[in-house]
Amino acid sequence: MGTQPRRKSNKPPLNPNWANLLKTLPSHGSKPSKQSDDTEESKTRILGKRKERSDSQISVNPLTPVNDDFSVTDAIAMDCEMVGVGQGNKSALGRATLVNQWGNVIYDEFVRPIERVVDFRTQISGIRPQDLRKAKDFRTVQNKVAELTKGRILVGHALRNDLKALLLSHPKKDVRDTSEYPPFLREGSSRALRHLAAEFLNVEIQNGEHCPVQDARAAMVLYQKNKKIWEKLAKDQIRLKEKQNKRRPKKKRKLGDDLNAGPAPTSL
């Protein structure tokens, strides 16, 4: 087969002088390609998302509960607020608050003290006269707190004050007190909860009236963040105490003690 002849173009040939002139002219004013625009736009969008993500992370309050689980967990944080009775310098329970390990409130009640309140200490306690008009009586709150905390890890700050106001005790081995945890001490002395929250949680609390819910949550978050080391330390202390108790020599009974004791009393 023979080759087909090339089709002749109907376009007139470009003048040689005009072609040379076009070659010497710079190509100014050329529009950027669409791909370049899309790339810049995508970069801006990505940077914007990163900025939004970082801003949202900074604004998250560590004391905000992470879920809506209101169950009674193995660890419970407690905080109480006091009012003044007697001459005003004697403290009595005015409010008791418990939160679970997630920071959700499982108990929060104002308390009507047995003695007459002479100082509500509102600037610190946040308690006002109207709060105690329909408050629970002391015994009811005491029994409920004892029920909820029994057999559980009790977390808080200076818990000895709260337990004293409640007229309750708690096994030392189950107490996790942020005012006594060695890494939180400064030169062997305890520090205020607000200082611990500011340093370790980067959050401000107790600016003015205290909120027992917020304080209990702060103590719980401090415990959760240090739980692994804290629990190991607690177990080591228990083992050490058990060893010390075993090493204590038992008092030996002297010969003749039974004879000197005389006859046993008889019941009527």
Side-chain angles (χ1 to χ4, degrees):
M1 293 178 63
T3 58
Q4 296 181 355
R6 294 181 180 179
R7 295 181 181 179
K8 294 183 179 181
S9 175
N10 294 329
K11 188 175 180 180
L14 190 65
N15 188 299
N17 293 333
W18 179 248
N20 293 332
L21 179 62
L22 288 178
K23 289 180 181 180
T24 59
L25 290 175
S27 56
H28 292 300
S30 60
K31 294 182 180 181
S33 64
K34 184 178 180 181
Q35 183 178 1
S36 176
D37 291 343
D38 292 343
T39 304
E40 293 298 326
E41 185 179 352
S42 62
K43 286 182 180 179
T44 305
R45 194 183 302 116
I46 293 171
L47 290 174
K49 287 183 178 180
R50 287 177 181 172
K51 187 176 184 300
E52 289 176 4
R53 192 182 300 118
S54 61
D55 291 344
S56 63
Q57 289 175 349
I58 294 173
S59 62
V60 171
N61 189 333
L63 305 186
T64 302
V66 296
N67 57 36
D68 57 355
D69 184 349
F70 289 86
S71 62
V72 182
T73 52
D74 292 337
I76 292 176
M78 178 173 71
D79 189 76
C80 297
E81 296 299 333
M82 315 298 173
V83 292
V85 297
Q87 299 298 320
N89 57 352
K90 181 181 177 182
S91 295
L93 185 66
R95 184 178 177 183
T97 304
L98 302 176
V99 303
N100 62 13
Q101 70 180 40
W102 312 116
N104 293 309
V105 178
I106 58 175
Y107 190 73
D108 184 24
E109 291 289 349
F110 288 102
V111 185
R112 187 170 65 253
I114 299 173
E115 299 182 55
R116 187 175 69 89
V117 179
V118 297
D119 185 1
F120 288 89
R121 303 177 182 176
T122 305
Q123 292 181 344
I124 300 297
S125 70
I127 300 174
R128 292 165 172 77
Q130 58 268 28
D131 295 326
L132 302 189
R133 287 172 189 166
K134 295 183 179 181
K136 302 278 187 181
D137 64 89
F138 175 79
R139 295 298 178 191
T140 300
V141 174
Q142 180 193 48
N143 291 335
K144 189 63 178 179
V145 171
E147 175 190 336
L148 291 171
T149 58
K150 184 177 180 180
R152 292 183 168 85
I153 299 295
L154 183 60
V155 182
H157 189 81
L159 283 168
R160 60 189 176 277
N161 297 328
D162 297 340
L163 292 171
K164 181 180 178 180
L166 282 158
L167 300 180
L168 292 174
S169 62
H170 201 75
K172 183 68 176 176
K173 66 181 181 64
D174 293 334
V175 172
R176 304 294 182 267
D177 197 322
T178 54
S179 71
E180 299 177 359
Y181 183 52
F184 291 162
L185 303 180
R186 176 169 290 174
E187 297 180 357
S189 300
S190 60
R191 302 165 62 191
L193 181 60
R194 67 178 181 276
H195 294 154
L196 297 177
E199 179 176 342
F200 296 100
L201 306 180
N202 196 29
V203 65
E204 292 184 1
I205 61 172
Q206 298 180 347
N207 289 330
E209 298 178 8
H210 292 195
C211 173
V213 175
Q214 194 177 53
D215 292 353
R217 285 173 175 169
M220 178 57 79
V221 175
L222 287 168
Y223 166 68
Q224 293 290 347
K225 283 182 172 291
N226 298 272
K227 183 177 179 180
K228 187 175 181 180
I229 300 176
W230 202 329
E231 288 303 318
K232 183 180 182 303
L233 181 61
K235 289 180 180 179
D236 291 343
Q237 290 176 340
I238 293 173
R239 292 193 192 99
L240 179 61
K241 190 173 182 179
E242 289 175 349
K243 288 182 180 179
Q244 290 175 343
N245 291 336
K246 289 180 179 179
R247 290 174 183 174
R248 288 179 184 174
K250 295 181 179 179
K251 292 183 178 180
K252 295 181 179 179
R253 299 180 65 182
K254 295 181 181 179
L255 184 64
D257 283 349
D258 293 338
L259 297 175
N260 295 332
T266 58
S267 58
L268 298 176

